[in-house]
């Protein structure tokens, strides 16, 4: 990390005091932690986020899932929780941005009972990639300037994200990770024979 501090000082033309050096080291360590762990990543972009034990557990499971995807183990992970428990915040809004930061060549498909909900998730994930702080954590992952539509966008690393409703047009698209969040709108739809 000391070479990073020297590079920083040289790039900014500043002399670095001990206090500044410590601040820079803390920032660099925080970035490394955000690359390795999902929960610190979430908290970096949402400092008011107040995780409980279940949220920490979900993050740990998603970290293992992400590593298993990268190792081509074809993992499966199902998370069932009551509404308003924080599942979507972690799984559908933050996890894709974190995983794509680590593996910018991977492809995501996110679905929900309606295309509007899937698009809301997509916009949130895409918004995280647009944050200046995101490039500080994942400098190798950016948005491809040529494909940034809410329903389908790409990373500069060759990865992609596609959002669609459950009956939406997904044929012909591959993925490394698929997220299905709220595939059924309500009890009436769940009990329907169709």
């Amino acid at each position: 990390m000391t070479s990073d501090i020297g590079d920083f000082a040289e790039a900014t033309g500043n002399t670095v005091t001990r206090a500044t050096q410590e601040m820079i080291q803390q920032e660099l360590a925080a970035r490394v932690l955000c690359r390795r762990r999902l929960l610190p990543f979430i908290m970096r972009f949402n400092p008011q986020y107040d995780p409980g034990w279940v949220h920490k557990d979900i993050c740990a499971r998603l970290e293992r899932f992400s590593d298993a995807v990268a190792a081509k183990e074809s993992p499966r992970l199902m998370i069932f929780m009551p509404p308003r428990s924080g599942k979507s915040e972690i799984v559908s809004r933050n996890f894709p941005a974190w995983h794509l930061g680590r593996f910018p060549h991977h492809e995501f498909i996110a679905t929900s009972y309606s295309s509007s909900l899937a698009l809301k998730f997509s916009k949130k994930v895409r918004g995280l990639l647009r944050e200046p702080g995101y490039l500080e954590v994942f400098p190798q992952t950016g948005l491809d300037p040529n494909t940034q539509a809410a329903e389908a966008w790409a990373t500069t690393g060759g990865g992609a994200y596609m959002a669609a409703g459950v009956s939406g047009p997904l044929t012909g698209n591959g993925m490394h990770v698929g997220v299905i969040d709220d595939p059924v709108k309500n009890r009436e739809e769940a009990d329907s024979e169709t």
Side-chain angles (χ1 to χ4, degrees):
M1 271 199 224
T2 21
S3 68
D4 291 335
I5 294 168
D7 294 344
F8 176 82
E10 188 177 314
T12 59
N14 294 326
T15 55
V16 180
T17 65
R18 172 145 327 271
T20 304
Q21 211 172 23
E22 287 176 15
M23 285 179 17
I24 293 169
Q25 284 180 332
Q26 288 174 357
E27 172 59 21
L28 293 173
R31 290 178 189 183
V32 169
L33 186 61
C34 288
R35 285 183 203 118
R36 292 183 183 164
R37 299 284 178 249
L38 179 55
L39 187 56
F41 172 83
I42 294 170
M43 295 182 78
R44 183 177 182 96
F45 293 98
N46 184 359
Q48 289 80 35
Y49 187 73
D50 186 19
W53 69 266
V54 71
H55 305 111
K56 294 172 185 174
D57 184 65
I58 291 170
C59 287
R61 290 172 190 271
L62 285 167
E63 290 166 4
R64 289 190 299 272
F65 176 83
S66 178
D67 290 339
V69 169
K72 299 181 181 181
E73 295 172 5
S74 297
R76 305 289 187 268
L77 177 62
M78 298 169 73
I79 299 172
F80 296 94
M81 294 175 67
R84 312 305 296 172
S85 298
K87 166 189 53 67
S88 295
E89 181 64 29
I90 298 171
V91 179
S92 297
R93 294 185 186 102
N94 286 283
F95 173 69
W98 179 77
H99 181 86
L100 286 170
R102 298 174 74 216
F103 307 104
H105 62 286
H106 279 189
E107 296 175 326
F108 255 85
I109 293 181
T111 63
S112 188
Y113 68 86
S114 74
S115 60
S116 63
L117 184 56
L119 290 176
K120 273 175 60 175
F121 294 144
S122 175
K123 289 174 184 177
K124 173 67 175 177
V125 176
R126 185 184 62 184
L128 278 171
L129 267 74
R130 286 180 173 159
E131 289 277 337
Y134 184 85
L135 285 174
E136 292 171 356
V137 174
F138 295 114
Q140 76 284 6
T141 306
L143 283 173
D144 181 334
N146 299 315
T147 56
Q148 292 190 24
E151 55 277 338
W153 46 267
T155 68
T156 53
Y161 183 103
M162 183 176 186
V166 168
S167 58
L170 296 175
T171 310
N173 294 287
M175 66 182 167
H176 293 87
V177 178
V179 175
I180 304 169
D181 191 328
D182 294 332
V184 180
K185 182 178 182 178
N186 53 33
R187 187 78 213 165
E188 182 181 315
E189 196 175 281
D191 290 337
S192 163
E193 282 188 37
T194 355

